[in-house]
Amino acid sequence: MALINIATHEIHCKIVYYGIGYCGKTTNLQYVFKTINPMVRGEMLSIASETERTLFFDFLPLDLGTVHGFRTRFHLYTVPGQILYERTRMAVLNGADGIVFVVDSQSEKFEENIQSISELEMNMRRLDKDLANFPLIIQWNKRDMPSALPIPILERYLNRRRVPSFEAVAYQGRGVFATLRAISKNVMAQL
């Protein structure tokens, strides 16, 4: 739930990038961080271990100007995608205002993606949130890979709610800002 601070005239929104391990969640945030003007972003916190890329979350406060006299700050988080971190994913999801579900488009990752979106739906129900009317965007990442599944297949099985979706190659920056703009607009519309 967005945090509105009347005293400082700020609205803080939390966007969570969710998906399987190594699907491109952290890569999205790293691209935004290195590309965006340092004057409108905070520092990026990334907690990694020797074996896992993101052990807890990445956090990038991003200032996107004012809305009705309130400065809007988006806090971008990623969840660890590895299966054993389900409780951590649940904790990071708590209080989210919007979700970007990042899909690894490779055919060999298809079943993992199915399991991940099912887990997301279950976790949102546990948090008493209904994805049917919650800001959600899907990003089809790794579109440059030879085994990338066709978009209609991904849409059919992973986008049953018919939410907006974007093709991406996150490490090149392709689709990264289109995805971020779309989720930001959806979150603001929900507010």
Side-chain angles (χ1 to χ4, degrees):
M1 172 180 277
L3 201 100
I4 301 172
N5 187 329
I6 303 293
T8 61
H9 281 288
E10 286 187 335
I11 301 172
H12 293 256
C13 302
K14 179 179 181 180
I15 296 175
V16 175
Y17 283 68
Y18 199 101
I20 67 172
Y22 300 100
C23 67
K25 302 175 301 287
T26 298
T27 306
N28 269 273
L29 266 64
Q30 288 172 334
Y31 187 82
V32 170
F33 184 79
K34 78 176 185 185
T35 307
I36 203 155
N37 180 349
M39 300 297 289
V40 298
R41 63 155 166 81
E43 288 304 310
M44 186 160 121
L45 171 65
S46 183
I47 303 171
S49 70
E50 288 180 25
T51 57
E52 307 299 338
R53 179 128 164 231
T54 307
L55 184 58
F56 186 50
F57 62 82
D58 297 311
F59 171 75
L60 171 60
L62 185 64
D63 189 341
L64 294 180
T66 61
V67 176
H68 300 294
F70 282 81
R71 223 169 102 213
T72 308
R73 279 182 131 354
F74 284 90
H75 301 272
L76 310 181
Y77 290 77
T78 66
V79 297
Q82 294 72 22
I83 291 170
L84 64 117
Y85 293 114
E86 182 180 357
R87 285 190 176 172
T88 303
R89 285 191 293 279
M90 182 78 164
V92 174
L93 262 181
N94 194 19
D97 297 299
I99 298 168
V100 174
F101 186 75
V102 181
V103 172
D104 183 330
S105 295
Q106 298 176 92
S107 60
E108 58 270 22
K109 299 295 184 176
F110 184 70
E111 286 300 320
E112 281 182 74
N113 286 311
I114 295 280
Q115 291 171 358
S116 183
I117 201 155
S118 293
E119 178 195 271
L120 171 62
E121 291 168 344
M122 181 179 63
N123 285 341
M124 291 299 283
R125 280 193 300 274
R126 287 178 179 157
L127 293 169
D128 291 324
K129 303 281 184 192
D130 182 6
L131 272 182
N133 51 27
F134 193 86
L136 173 67
I137 300 289
I138 295 180
Q139 183 187 75
W140 311 119
N141 195 25
K142 300 191 180 184
R143 297 305 305 156
D144 59 329
M145 300 301 284
S147 65
L149 289 168
I151 296 294
I153 299 288
L154 295 172
E155 286 283 350
R156 180 176 180 192
Y157 292 101
L158 293 167
N159 193 3
R160 295 185 312 267
R161 298 181 190 291
R162 301 292 171 241
V163 300
S165 62
F166 297 86
E167 292 187 47
V169 180
Y171 79 93
Q172 295 175 353
R174 205 170 94 208
V176 170
F177 281 104
T179 303
L180 179 57
R181 271 191 298 277
I183 191 61
S184 300
K185 284 182 182 178
N186 282 4
V187 166
M188 294 309 293
Q190 190 83 0
L191 288 176

